[in-house]
Amino acid sequence: MSISNGVQLITYADRLGDGSIESLNSLLNGPLAGLFKGVHLLPFYYPYDGEDAGFDPIDHTSVDKRLGDWSHVKKMGESVDIMADLIVNHMSAQSKQFRDVLEKGRESAYWPLFLTKQDVFTDTDETKTNEQIANVFRPRPTPFFSDYEVAGSETVPFWTTFTSNQIDIDVESDLGKEYLSSILTSFTESNVDLIRLDAAGYAIKRAGSNCFMLEETFAFIEELSKRARSMDMQCLVEIHSHYQTQIDIAERCDSVYDFALPPLVLHTLFTQDASALAHWLSISPRNCFTVLDTHDGIGIVDVGASGDKPGLLDNASIDALVEQIHVNSKEESRKATGAAANNVDLYQVNCTYYDALGKDDLNYLLARAIQFFSPGIPQVYYGGLLAADNDMELLAKTNVGRDINRPYLSTADVEAAIEKPVVKGLIELIKIRNDSNAFNGDFSVSYNDKLLALNWAHHSDTACLEIDFNTMSAVIDITDAGKSTTITTSELLG
């Protein structure tokens, strides 16, 4: 199937609009009409407000009735491409399948669906097993395994890569394959076009490895993507890792995220030096989706080193980047990052992108212009669309670090925000990215004497973003169907 080459929106159904999929669709056909070619609808399954904001579904095939039903998803899909999350690594401990395991133990029909410690680490030598476990890659500081009492008589350590409420699935078992197929069926029946494979890098475990992006993982992703394509859907792989890993994954799947772009853009604007950014854009995957902000934090690991493999930025530059975010946000990001606020991420800074740039409207539009002119399909997070501030009130209420960037914005809030000059400027950038045929062509990048040029050409149609880091000014030149247009980012602010 063909995915529209235009800007997409990332949003929760309950946090943008008035609390339902239907209300969100009204926004897309009202105040935001015509802006987005696609929507990444963040988890809307039952329950959407679980321990991990929908990423711990009890029933992945069921829309939470408080948000609507599959018919509302299908209706939205009539006018935009729909991306939905396929949470491949785990399911909720509250699911009927796992509750059956707790009740019946090894006699449960669902026992093979879930991974235990012993399923992977079979060696009876405890010292050797502990050494192998120490080599497993950790995305969070929580334990690998969580002990559950089953059948009232046995304590079993189940794999819990993320939280004790998220029980890892054995995706290689017959039951695991059937479970994932049932979700694909629900998607294809409801106009879902794109599947975001959440946490796919952790899905395959092998003793003696780091249990992350193994050769078997690549094979699993390829097979799952093949199944999705046979049902007229495409897959987007969500992996935070070393940049070379992203390049390798991109060669073997439909598309990947360019997670290196957000920190590189910040580094570029903070230092007024685009050399690292220009280098990355010269080698980055072309079959990617670009973001600056998401429902999670601003990733750092994606530009860092991995073992003896150097990163796109050195450690000193990364430290300076993180500290500058804290300074720009008036220390608000520090209250939501690291050990603060029950933060669960080892590699992210929790902050809105707007606050990370010190609420500087011009720099914010420069950042978005770079994103839109970089290779890939751009996605804009709903908070970023509206240049939302850090939600310190919500952070204080929930004490969940990522909530600093997960505000609740009503229809009235949207209508007010789209009148802000910076949002009006961003909307104009979105229209430029959507309307220019040049973005269907070839990309090139150059950087000389602090002048960065991002160029697109498709036959006679061209689009160029030129940023002079001596003056922090930018010019956009567009030629479409013989008509030329020039605009500066400062003019976008009115």
Side-chain angles (χ1 to χ4, degrees), residues 195-322:
I195 301 167
R196 177 181 178 271
L197 300 182
D198 178 73
Y202 304 94
I204 306 294
K205 285 87 167 173
R206 294 287 187 271
S209 76
N210 68 353
C211 297
F212 179 73
M213 287 312 303
L214 311 178
E215 184 57 35
E216 295 92 336
T217 315
F218 280 106
F220 165 71
I221 291 172
E222 285 182 304
E223 174 58 28
L224 190 57
S225 298
K226 183 179 178 180
R227 270 193 278 167
R229 283 193 294 272
S230 73
M231 302 169 78
D232 207 27
M233 296 179 288
Q234 292 184 19
C235 290
L236 168 63
V237 181
E238 184 264 341
I239 300 288
H240 280 283
S241 188
H242 187 264
Y243 74 88
Q244 186 59 51
T245 302
Q246 296 287 20
I247 294 173
D248 295 341
I249 295 169
E251 294 175 351
R252 303 177 63 172
C253 66
D254 295 329
S255 52
V256 296
Y257 280 106
D258 183 351
F259 281 136
L261 189 65
L264 284 177
V265 169
L266 290 176
H267 169 78
T268 299
L269 295 175
F270 292 166
T271 64
Q272 300 179 18
D273 179 358
S275 54
L277 174 65
H279 169 65
W280 170 239
L281 294 182
S282 71
I283 63 172
S284 64
R286 291 346 188 199
N287 57 327
C288 69
F289 282 71
T290 67
V291 292
L292 293 184
D293 45 4
T294 70
H295 60 289
D296 288 334
I298 300 168
I300 301 301
V301 68
D302 309 276
V303 293
S306 178
D308 59 356
K309 295 185 292 187
L312 295 167
L313 297 177
D314 59 32
N315 288 340
S317 296
I318 291 173
D319 290 344
L321 166 66
V322 172

Side-chain angles (χ1 to χ4, degrees), residues 281-450:
L281 294 182
S282 71
I283 63 172
S284 64
R286 291 346 188 199
N287 57 327
C288 69
F289 282 71
T290 67
V291 292
L292 293 184
D293 45 4
T294 70
H295 60 289
D296 288 334
I298 300 168
I300 301 301
V301 68
D302 309 276
V303 293
S306 178
D308 59 356
K309 295 185 292 187
L312 295 167
L313 297 177
D314 59 32
N315 288 340
S317 296
I318 291 173
D319 290 344
L321 166 66
V322 172
E323 283 305 308
Q324 192 61 54
I325 294 173
H326 294 328
V327 170
N328 286 356
S329 68
K330 297 180 170 57
E331 299 297 313
E332 290 177 346
S333 57
R334 201 184 298 276
K335 297 176 182 178
T337 299
N342 291 322
N343 184 53
V344 294
D345 300 302
L346 297 176
Y347 48 75
Q348 296 176 335
V349 177
N350 289 319
C351 185
T352 70
Y353 213 80
Y354 188 53
D355 274 290
L357 286 166
K359 302 180 184 177
D360 184 308
D361 289 352
L362 181 57
N363 275 351
Y364 189 65
L365 292 184
L366 282 175
R368 289 296 176 185
I370 293 171
Q371 179 196 3
F372 293 171
F373 275 75
S374 295
I377 294 176
Q379 293 187 317
V380 177
Y381 185 58
Y382 75 104
L385 169 68
L386 304 173
D389 298 336
N390 283 330
D391 195 333
M392 301 306 291
E393 184 176 341
L394 182 61
L395 176 63
K397 179 180 178 181
T398 66
N399 198 35
V400 173
R402 289 180 292 182
D403 274 347
I404 196 173
N405 188 34
R406 296 177 175 181
Y408 289 87
L409 301 173
S410 67
T411 297
D413 292 329
V414 174
E415 291 171 342
I418 60 177
E419 296 302 317
K420 296 191 295 188
V422 65
V423 176
K424 286 183 176 181
L426 177 52
I427 288 172
E428 288 305 308
L429 281 175
I430 291 173
K431 291 176 180 177
I432 288 170
R433 177 60 178 80
N434 285 343
D435 296 344
S436 176
N437 191 43
F439 292 103
N440 294 312
D442 297 320
F443 171 80
S444 64
V445 56
S446 65
Y447 182 58
N448 295 292
D449 298 325
K450 305 207 77 168

Side-chain angles (χ1 to χ4, degrees), residues 50-165:
E51 183 180 290
D52 197 20
F55 285 94
D56 49 350
I58 290 176
D59 186 351
H60 204 319
T61 63
S62 174
V63 177
D64 194 306
K65 292 179 180 179
R66 293 169 292 175
L67 299 177
D69 55 41
W70 283 113
S71 71
H72 296 113
V73 177
K74 190 172 184 177
K75 177 71 174 176
M76 184 181 291
E78 293 174 359
S79 56
V80 294
D81 294 333
I82 296 290
M83 180 186 293
D85 290 279
L86 176 53
I87 301 158
V88 300
N89 182 69
H90 53 263
M91 62 195 301
S92 173
Q94 314 307 315
S95 64
K96 71 175 183 180
Q97 294 94 326
F98 191 66
R99 283 191 282 112
D100 193 74
V101 166
L102 294 181
E103 179 184 348
K104 301 175 183 176
R106 298 174 189 272
E107 299 304 313
S108 169
Y110 298 111
W111 179 266
L113 181 58
F114 301 99
L115 269 178
T116 69
K117 179 180 178 180
Q118 286 74 25
D119 289 331
V120 178
F121 299 103
T122 58
D123 200 296
T124 55
D125 186 333
E126 187 175 346
T127 300
K128 183 177 179 181
T129 295
N130 288 337
E131 288 174 353
Q132 291 177 331
I133 291 174
N135 289 328
V136 178
F137 177 73
R138 296 298 295 127
R140 296 185 177 182
T142 49
F144 282 113
F145 309 103
S146 295
D147 289 338
Y148 280 90
E149 184 178 297
V150 301
S153 60
E154 181 184 7
T155 299
V156 177
F158 286 91
W159 271 85
T160 51
T161 297
F162 293 94
T163 72
S164 60
N165 190 53

